[in-house]
Amino acid sequence: IKYNLVDYTNERKIQKRSLVRIGGLAIFLGYIIGLSTIYFTGNLENIRFNGISLYGSTLLLTSAAIFVLGICDDLIQLSPKFRLLFQFIIAGFTWTQGLRIDEIDITLISSRFEILVLPNYISLLITVIWVVAIINAINWMDGLDGLAPGLVIISSLAYFLIEYSNNIFSISFILISLLGTAIAFLFYNYNPAKILMGDGGSYFFGYNLAILSFLSSSGSSAYLKLHIPFLIMFVPILDMIYVIFRRIITGKKPFNADKTHIHHRLINSGLNERQSVRYILSIALITATLA
């Protein structure tokens, strides 16, 4: 408040008062502190993050980079084009470090299909688009108090149950750190919110869920079981697809902000903020359970 780091209200935003928007700083620090508890488990020798396609070092570096991008936007209001370009650069760097979608498992569609092996340029294209899409999908869901952290809690818990049941403890520690951070933040972000996560928090959560979605669905970065992340993150993905196509059809730029997101439409239908959040999180919980 002293330095005017607040998110002012406008005609597009549902919130009726200005709130501090640098909650992403608490989210990032909470995640790092949570992850550091591995040191006290006594299993440090058995849990090596760099054993999973450079997962540990790459994840920490790129997560920090995407967080810095978001927090800078919260502080000095970066242009949308610069933010999008920087997201593509980070996603591309992630791909060069081995965290990539090399194969896609579509056998669920039909037994006649096999796992699609992707050429390098297609792998790069799909990986980068996927990462950038999920980052922005989670960011766009940060429109109602408690909605974005609620979706992160559900997604992280679903991925965690998959990883833990398969004894993949390295990724499980990452997921439980995300889960704990999101739960803690929800206490201060649920309606009426006391603080906002801002782009720093939503970018950070979105990036981690994007990477974990293809790691968690297979236990490695080898292939993507398409149905699992689509079910776990059904609401933000469907909302993003609907909004982008609607903007294109109506002649608007795909990334220009408007009031066509699912939470805006629920509010316009007569529901209050808490009811809208509960409806959306209920759908997310059902689809994540199916996954």
Side-chain angles (χ1 to χ4, degrees):
I1 293 171
K2 179 180 178 181
Y3 292 101
N4 204 32
L5 304 176
V6 295
D7 191 54
Y8 291 105
T9 59
N10 59 39
E11 61 178 13
R12 191 183 66 85
K13 294 179 180 178
I14 294 170
Q15 67 192 55
K16 301 302 181 184
R17 65 196 192 286
S18 299
L19 295 171
V20 176
R21 64 171 185 266
I22 54 170
L25 183 61
I27 288 171
F28 183 72
L29 292 175
Y31 167 80
I32 296 297
I33 293 169
L35 204 56
S36 68
T37 59
I38 296 172
Y39 179 80
F40 302 102
T41 64
N43 290 322
L44 194 61
E45 292 299 317
N46 299 324
I47 301 170
R48 297 192 178 279
F49 295 113
N50 60 0
I52 309 175
S53 303
L54 299 176
Y55 184 68
S57 56
T58 300
L59 180 81
L60 292 176
L61 176 63
T62 50
S63 291
I66 202 71
F67 162 72
V68 170
L69 173 66
I71 203 74
C72 285
D73 184 53
D74 293 328
L75 296 174
I76 59 176
Q77 298 292 294
L78 302 173
S79 73
K81 290 181 179 179
F82 177 82
R83 281 179 284 158
L84 196 61
L85 175 63
F86 204 82
Q87 289 172 14
F88 274 107
I89 291 173
I90 293 173
F93 175 77
T94 302
W95 181 87
T96 65
Q97 298 303 301
L99 289 177
R100 60 178 73 175
I101 302 171
D102 288 326
E103 300 175 355
I104 299 179
D105 181 2
I106 56 173
T107 54
L108 185 71
I109 300 174
S110 173
S111 58
R112 294 177 296 174
F113 291 113
E114 297 181 356
I115 294 175
L116 296 177
V117 180
L118 305 176
N120 273 342
Y121 66 94
I122 298 295
S123 170
L124 172 62
L125 183 65
I126 290 178
T127 302
V128 168
I129 290 175
W130 177 260
V131 172
V132 172
I134 298 301
I135 290 173
N136 287 283
I138 297 299
N139 178 250
W140 288 353
M141 283 285 100
D142 189 27
L144 296 182
D145 294 347
L147 179 56
L151 289 170
V152 173
I153 289 169
I154 292 170
S155 300
S156 298
L157 180 59
Y159 286 131
F160 171 75
L161 292 173
I162 293 171
E163 294 305 302
Y164 192 76
S165 64
N166 288 310
N167 297 319
I168 304 175
F169 297 117
S170 299
I171 301 177
S172 296
F173 268 103
I174 297 285
L175 286 162
I176 208 69
S177 297
L178 284 177
L179 177 61
T181 304
I183 291 173
F185 190 77
L186 184 62
F187 280 99
Y188 299 93
N189 187 241
Y190 194 69
N191 183 267
K194 298 179 178 66
I195 192 170
L196 303 176
M197 69 169 62
D199 287 348
S202 62
Y203 283 9
F204 176 78
F205 277 140
Y207 175 80
N208 277 276
L209 289 177
I211 299 298
L212 291 162
S213 64
F214 56 80
L215 284 177
S216 186
S217 63
S218 61
S220 72
S221 58
Y223 64 92
L224 171 68
K225 288 185 177 178
L226 207 56
H227 60 286
I228 293 180
F230 266 100
L231 282 172
I232 290 177
M233 297 184 290
F234 176 79
V235 172
I237 290 174
L238 188 67
D239 178 74
M240 178 187 63
I241 293 172
Y242 170 82
V243 168
I244 288 178
F245 273 102
R246 191 178 186 280
R247 289 172 183 172
I248 292 173
I249 291 171
T250 55
K252 299 177 181 178
K253 293 181 180 180
F255 288 90
N256 275 13
D258 58 21
K259 297 184 71 172
T260 58
H261 294 286
I262 183 173
H263 48 275
H264 290 125
R265 300 199 303 275
L266 287 174
I267 293 291
N268 292 336
S269 73
L271 298 178
N272 63 39
E273 195 165 341
R274 287 193 177 193
Q275 289 172 330
S276 300
V277 169
R278 287 168 183 167
Y279 271 110
I280 295 171
L281 294 184
S282 295
I283 295 170
L285 190 59
I286 291 169
T287 57
T289 302
L290 290 174

